[in-house]
Amino acid sequence: MKLRKKVLTISIVAALGVAGTAAAQEATTAQAAPSAADQKATDLDTVVVKGIRGAIEASLDSKRGEDTRVEVITSEDIGKMPDKNVADSLARVPGVTISAASANEGAFDENDRVSMRGTSPSFTQTTIDGHGIGTGDWFVLNQSGTVGRSVSYSLLPSELVDKVVVHKSSEAKLVEGGATGTVDIITRNPLNFEDGFSIFGSAGAVYADKPDKWDPQISVLGNWKNTEGTFGVMLQVFSEERHLRRDGQELLGYAPIGAGTAAAVAHPELEGVFFPTLIGSALFEQERKRTGGMFSAQWKPTDTIELEANYFRSDMEADNYNRNYMLWGNRIINGTSGANGQVPLPGYIVRNNTLVFADFAATPGEGNAFGIYDQISRPGAKSSTESFSLEGKWDVTEKLRFSGQAGTSEGHGETPTQDVAEWDVGIDTGAGWALNGVGAADWHLGSANTGAPGTPNVDYRLDWIFGYQDIDVEDSEDWGQIDGTYFTDGGVLQSVDFGIRAAKHERNLPQVTAQGPNFGAAISPFDPAAWPQGFENYPGDFGDGLGGSFPRNIWFFTADQLAHFNDLYANRDPVSRFYYLGAYGLEERSEAAYGQLNFGGERWTANLGMRYVRTEEEVSNYVNAIDPTAPGVITTSAFGPYQIAVTKNTYKDWLPSANLKWDMTDDVVLRLAASQTMTRPDFSALAGAVTLSAPASFPGTGTGNGGNPDLAPIISTNLDATVEWYYAERALVSAGVFSMDIDDYVTLSTVNRTYLTEDNVTDPLNPVLVPVEYELTVPVGTGAQVNGFELAWEGPIGEYFGAFANYTHTESDVDDGTPMLGTSDNTYNVGVWFENEMFNARVNYNYRSSFYSGLDRASAFYQDDIDSLSASFGWKINDNFGLSLDAMNLNNPKIKYYAENKDRPRSIYENGRQYYLNMRFKY
């Protein structure tokens, strides 16, 4: 802590020393700040940017004019960002990385999370027009498992965006919450349109080649302002549908071969060797529908007063069906119901302490299940976000300006129902696998006919019914702030910024219903008479692009069949099946105040500020109660007695910042920055949605994870230096270095805890509660460091062509020796574009090296190197109509994951390509 503060102090003093030297040399030529009236006139003279070249020029002009380290992406026209997805546009910014998964659910075909400088997405704050947003996730694992602070970009259509500003260095006046930076998505204002009445929009369709489906897409924006330019309203609506299909192979964790197993007894050298617990052929299908819109009203009753109201809402309907037909390595090796497993046949291979090749003999007549098959349908899955804000600006005098903002935002992530059936398959058939490094494994279930269910209780049987129900995660924020600026009469000190802000953020999941078999039904769920009749099969081209030899022609029951089966034979009582270990609650109240001094001379500007933040945190953890008779214990849940533990903490943080911009020549800009920034730990790290994985056999040791409500805010000390050379129109070469020293970085540690657990393995028809010891992974605070550099070039090539390239190298280190979440050593982007009066085209390539994504099922989870190729084409038919084609994932990337080393693959996915064809119009 002392070293960090000393470094920060030296950096700020050095920055001010440079500023002071420049001030002494240039005090006589320092320019007075523009008057408030002049500044407002400049605001009203906003020019609508059109075309690739215009957008690049506007972006570089905005970047160059900022006093701090920013990147700017400007829309090419009304409702036309450079990419269909805002996250994809941000991927081309040096130091910014994107991912298609929030946690360890595996990547889908749309990039959904944004992070900066080798850290997790939770360290990057996303705002809309300067304020936070309540957000939601549609995928159940992100609702009840790993719950971060990042915003889902799948809820933010690019058509809403005027420009995106990426703040890489901090100022006191920026809202706290982004340890590594802030992404501010700026929408349009009614009074900034050129015409009194105008309509812009696009209508078209998207084609996804993997599901082989066309779906409609439409977005319309209408704007009106009066002839005086003092009042205007804007309404934008959108409706976008698309189908998604993800082919995959999943290896769901690794476990060591135990000392008492038959394999270890027969071959002692196998004791402690890791093996894949499950290997599956996974088919995920989904239909997404995103609808919503934005309404804005702007009123300027006088030259000195401006008022604005904004409402935004986005809903994502995300019904999905996931099937995973799996080899059950854990049951084969470790056995069940008192058995001690099987011995691999001769010829097994161990590499890197991993059983990478093994075959197991068939067991005729014994009833051993060599496979397990999960069918999970989630009708009604959805996410949403909405916000309402009121803003005002008042130029009290030419020297004093006030602005204010108040609002509320709420997001939801919902999984009302999971229709689930889990089947034992590969009964007595034998099995085997061969792991081929990162990528698809070879595996089989002996003589099993995977294309049809076969004979009930001979070829397949019901294993269990599970799945969370009634999930509705609410994420909300209310805020209010007042900001002021006082302009001086000139000299080195040009203005003073000051302000206050208060906010309340809540994240709650009050109900989780964990269904099980309904043993009170007229027919037992385990009776074949209750099971669905008839079946379908995986698509004929399933897994064609994955490589490997594994089951592809696989039977399944339809989503409607599963729904009917669960309606009759699942116990979904919200009281007795309340799974308190998945529930949580959190409330954060924060107050902030800041002051910032802004300096300037003929060729330089600087600022020095301090932000004070006070956070009151109240966390509600649902915890297992060993003594059911203790006061406050609730005993109505079948999962055992529980109680709610409430933890309150208050934190006070001072966040200094200093920035210097020096125009070394007419074309070369030097920027130096030093600051302390903060973010708060992930919601799941604090609120402790405890999740447990029961042992495969009883007695045994389970695994799981839980929260730590006493985690302190994460504080980062940041140093940044950049040189920018604007060597021509629409051209830039830049180089920068950055360093982050992080206190209270959240990492994981293992503790042992005992929980009452339902044993449904020993006697599935008569499950009982028994005490089970779990190795529980919990978050703790430690130190971490991030260092790196960025290189970027952008420029025209002749009159109609241009190109860009950037590269970021990042190195990270965590004090406890664990890898840092989200750190890719290398990322780079290259692209070329063409534009004349009628046609335009752009091709972009993005690469990101492997990174650590966290723990999953007690195994590490790394995403391997990934690259993507995209392109867009446009044809201007006339001044009112145009055609555009956006093609995503043209290289059909395979998204690969691995565990502790690359001899332990975790999964591989293929999502296919997507093509967006739209007719654009304006009036």
Side-chain angles (χ1 to χ4, degrees):
M1 176 68 75
K2 292 181 179 179
L3 176 61
R4 173 171 55 78
K5 289 184 176 180
K6 183 177 180 181
V7 170
L8 180 66
T9 301
I10 293 172
S11 302
I12 292 176
V13 170
L16 291 180
V18 175
T21 301
Q25 295 173 347
E26 302 171 9
T28 59
T29 60
Q31 302 296 312
S35 68
D38 291 339
Q39 184 64 47
K40 294 299 291 183
T42 300
D43 291 342
L44 289 176
D45 288 339
T46 302
V47 176
V48 178
V49 177
K50 298 180 180 179
I52 296 175
R53 289 171 294 181
I56 292 172
E57 184 173 352
S59 297
L60 293 183
D61 286 347
S62 296
K63 173 185 174 72
R64 184 172 184 173
E66 289 284 344
D67 292 337
T68 56
R69 180 80 166 91
V70 302
E71 305 283 351
V72 182
I73 303 171
T74 305
S75 63
E76 296 169 8
D77 203 342
I78 306 296
K80 178 64 172 73
M81 287 293 288
D83 299 272
K84 191 64 180 174
N85 184 302
V86 178
D88 290 317
S89 295
L90 287 166
R92 297 202 298 273
V93 173
V96 175
T97 50
I98 57 175
S99 60
S102 171
N104 296 332
E105 70 272 22
F108 299 100
D109 68 2
E110 182 176 21
N111 286 306
D112 189 50
R113 289 304 194 274
V114 171
S115 56
M116 296 172 61
R117 293 181 166 174
T119 59
S120 77
S122 292
F123 278 38
T124 298
Q125 180 171 247
T126 297
T127 58
I128 294 182
D129 294 326
H131 63 76
I133 50 176
T135 188
D137 291 293
W138 59 263
F139 193 64
V140 65
L141 294 182
N142 300 329
Q143 297 165 349
S144 58
T146 301
V147 184
R149 290 184 179 264
S150 57
V151 168
S152 172
Y153 277 69
S154 66
L155 286 169
L156 306 176
S158 62
E159 290 84 357
L160 291 172
V161 181
D162 180 20
K163 65 180 178 180
V164 182
V165 179
V166 181
H167 295 271
K168 291 184 175 179
S169 64
S170 185
E171 295 180 271
K173 63 183 179 182
L174 292 178
V175 177
E176 76 282 350
T180 55
T182 297
V183 176
D184 190 18
I185 298 173
I186 299 175
T187 61
R188 297 185 181 275
N189 294 325
L191 295 184
N192 283 350
F193 283 77
E194 292 178 325
D195 300 321
F197 176 73
S198 51
I199 295 179
F200 304 84
S202 64
V206 56
Y207 172 76
D209 68 356
K210 185 62 67 175
D212 191 21
K213 296 282 188 179
W214 284 94
D215 291 295
Q217 308 254 308
I218 186 169
S219 175
V220 180
L221 181 152
N223 190 81
W224 173 86
K225 68 178 181 179
N226 61 10
T227 55
E228 295 81 12
T230 59
F231 180 74
V233 292
M234 181 188 72
L235 176 64
Q236 183 169 10
V237 294
F238 55 86
S239 177
E240 301 170 335
E241 301 180 36
R242 65 190 188 91
H243 283 76
L244 181 152
R245 179 183 131 194
R246 185 184 73 179
D247 295 357
Q249 185 183 105
E250 297 179 337
L251 294 89
L252 301 181
Y254 288 81
I257 297 176
T261 62
V265 171
H267 303 286
E269 72 277 8
L270 288 179
E271 182 180 337
V273 171
F274 282 78
F275 66 92
T277 58
L278 293 162
I279 312 176
S281 299
L283 171 65
F284 180 95
E285 292 180 301
Q286 182 179 49
E287 184 175 357
R288 296 184 181 182
K289 184 176 182 179
R290 181 170 60 191
T291 57
M294 186 168 192
F295 173 79
S296 297
Q298 195 174 8
W299 183 34
K300 194 172 183 294
T302 72
D303 289 340
T304 60
I305 296 177
E306 183 178 320
L307 302 173
E308 186 174 346
N310 295 288
Y311 175 75
F312 165 66
R313 183 175 180 93
S314 179
D315 290 271
M316 172 80 79
E317 298 178 13
D319 295 3
N320 59 90
Y321 188 9
N322 191 51
R323 285 134 287 181
N324 201 359
Y325 187 94
M326 297 175 282
L327 179 153
W328 200 347
N330 201 43
R331 177 172 282 188
I332 295 170
I333 294 285
N334 286 331
T336 185
S337 301
N340 60 353
Q342 288 186 241
V343 179
L345 295 173
Y348 63 83
I349 299 173
V350 175
R351 184 171 60 246
N352 210 356
N353 200 37
T354 307
L355 187 60
V356 297
F357 177 87
D359 271 313
F360 298 87
T363 57
E366 296 185 15
N368 294 320
F370 285 80
I372 188 80
Y373 185 14
D374 289 349
Q375 298 173 359
I376 307 173
S377 172
R378 305 180 184 98
K382 66 176 296 185
S383 58
S384 65
T385 183
E386 66 177 335
S387 63
F388 175 73
S389 64
L390 293 172
E391 303 178 37
K393 300 176 183 178
W394 178 27
D395 291 340
V396 182
T397 68
E398 290 190 351
K399 292 185 177 181
L400 181 62
R401 171 188 299 168
F402 284 105
S403 63
Q405 186 185 85
T408 183
S409 183
E410 185 172 305
H412 287 263
E414 301 176 45
T415 301
T417 302
Q418 289 196 91
D419 296 316
V420 180
E422 185 175 61
W423 308 94
D424 289 341
V425 293
I427 297 175
D428 293 329
T429 60
W433 68 77
L435 307 184
N436 305 315
V438 178
D442 302 325
W443 65 274
H444 63 88
L445 286 182
S447 60
N449 176 14
T450 65
T455 304
N457 285 333
V458 175
D459 298 303
Y460 78 111
R461 64 187 176 222
L462 182 66
D463 186 279
W464 202 246
I465 297 173
F466 64 88
Y468 288 172
Q469 320 288 310
D470 305 323
I471 291 179
D472 183 359
V473 183
E474 179 181 335
D475 182 66
S476 64
E477 181 163 308
D478 302 322
W479 73 90
Q481 66 185 67
I482 298 175
D483 301 279
T485 300
Y486 177 76
F487 297 96
T488 66
D489 290 325
V492 174
L493 179 63
Q494 296 190 340
S495 63
V496 179
D497 294 321
F498 53 92
I500 57 174
R501 187 178 191 271
K504 181 178 74 171
H505 196 112
E506 294 182 285
R507 182 91 178 201
N508 294 291
L509 176 56
Q511 177 67 38
V512 179
T513 303
Q515 72 175 4
N518 182 6
F519 294 101
I523 302 175
S524 168
F526 295 88
D527 188 330
W531 301 349
Q533 301 298 309
F535 62 91
E536 295 184 8
N537 292 90
Y538 279 18
D541 60 349
F542 169 78
D544 283 357
L546 298 178
S549 173
F550 57 90
R552 286 172 162 82
N553 179 31
I554 298 171
W555 65 271
F556 65 87
F557 297 128
T558 67
D560 288 340
Q561 288 176 304
L562 280 185
H564 181 71
F565 177 66
N566 278 237
D567 286 343
L568 294 177
Y569 302 108
N571 180 359
R572 293 171 169 171
D573 180 66
V575 177
S576 64
R577 302 298 299 183
F578 174 54
Y579 190 67
Y580 60 87
L581 295 172
Y584 61 89
L586 179 144
E587 178 182 297
E588 290 173 342
R589 293 180 179 269
S590 61
E591 295 88 33
Y594 73 89
Q596 180 172 309
L597 305 177
N598 302 304
F599 307 93
E602 184 178 1
R603 304 185 67 88
W604 65 276
T605 60
N607 62 60
L608 175 66
M610 178 70 75
R611 189 176 187 92
Y612 169 74
V613 182
R614 182 178 184 271
T615 305
E616 293 181 2
E617 207 162 57
E618 182 176 310
V619 179
S620 298
N621 299 90
Y622 291 70
V623 298
N624 184 274
I626 301 301
D627 181 5
T629 64
V633 171
I634 302 170
T635 59
T636 54
S637 172
F639 299 98
Y642 70 94
Q643 59 193 36
I644 301 175
V646 177
T647 304
K648 297 182 180 181
N649 287 299
T650 300
Y651 303 99
K652 301 175 182 179
D653 296 288
W654 295 88
L655 306 175
S657 61
N659 293 272
L660 170 67
K661 172 193 173 187
W662 178 24
D663 291 333
M664 301 172 64
T665 70
D666 290 342
D667 301 319
V668 179
V669 178
L670 170 67
R671 301 180 190 273
L672 302 174
S675 66
Q676 281 190 331
T677 52
M678 68 169 289
T679 192
R680 300 174 179 94
D682 285 349
F683 298 119
S684 57
L686 286 166
V690 178
T691 58
L692 302 173
S693 296
S697 59
F698 292 80
T701 301
T703 60
N705 56 74
N708 179 359
D710 294 317
L711 291 171
I714 301 162
I715 304 297
S716 178
T717 300
N718 314 301
L719 302 175
D720 192 293
T722 307
V723 176
E724 302 163 357
W725 177 27
Y726 299 86
Y727 64 91
E729 185 180 15
R730 300 190 307 275
L732 166 69
V733 174
S734 67
V737 295
F738 57 87
S739 176
M740 301 171 56
D741 187 2
I742 303 172
D743 285 342
D744 290 312
Y745 174 79
V746 178
T747 187
L748 298 172
S749 182
T750 300
V751 298
N752 291 330
R753 295 179 185 172
T754 299
Y755 294 94
L756 291 177
T757 301
E758 187 177 60
D759 176 2
N760 53 40
V761 174
T762 304
D763 185 357
L765 298 180
N766 296 289
V768 295
L769 285 172
V770 296
V772 172
E773 184 177 6
Y774 284 81
E775 292 183 354
L776 202 65
T777 303
V778 298
V780 296
T782 188
Q785 299 77 40
V786 180
N787 299 286
F789 64 87
E790 302 168 356
L791 303 173
W793 166 76
E794 184 166 5
I797 303 174
E799 183 176 359
Y800 299 114
F801 290 88
F804 77 92
N806 60 63
Y807 169 76
T808 303
H809 177 74
T810 306
E811 296 181 356
S812 63
D813 180 65
V814 180
D815 288 357
D816 68 357
T818 60
M820 191 169 191
L821 285 170
T823 300
S824 291
D825 290 345
N826 303 293
T827 60
Y828 62 84
N829 305 274
V830 294
V832 295
W833 56 264
F834 165 83
E835 182 182 50
N836 62 20
E837 296 304 315
M838 184 173 291
F839 298 101
N840 65 75
R842 186 197 300 264
V843 178
N844 303 302
Y845 176 81
N846 169 265
Y847 169 84
R848 180 180 185 182
S849 63
S850 62
F851 62 93
Y852 177 60
S853 186
L855 283 175
D856 179 69
R857 295 172 175 85
S859 292
F861 203 74
Y862 288 85
Q863 181 171 324
D864 200 19
D865 304 349
I866 185 170
D867 60 355
S868 63
L869 179 68
S870 63
S872 62
F873 307 91
W875 173 33
K876 180 182 177 182
I877 300 173
N878 55 42
D879 289 341
N880 300 105
F881 294 94
L883 280 176
S884 66
L885 173 65
D886 298 292
M888 311 298 295
N889 300 314
L890 281 173
N891 59 326
N892 193 20
K894 309 300 184 293
I895 307 164
K896 304 175 183 180
Y897 298 86
Y898 59 93
E900 286 76 11
N901 59 68
K902 292 192 175 184
D903 280 317
R904 297 178 189 172
R906 284 299 309 267
S907 54
I908 176 173
Y909 300 109
E910 181 184 40
N911 289 282
R913 305 170 181 87
Q914 302 80 41
Y915 304 90
Y916 296 84
L917 179 64
N918 283 281
M919 171 70 76
R920 301 179 56 77
F921 59 88
K922 57 185 176 181
Y923 171 78

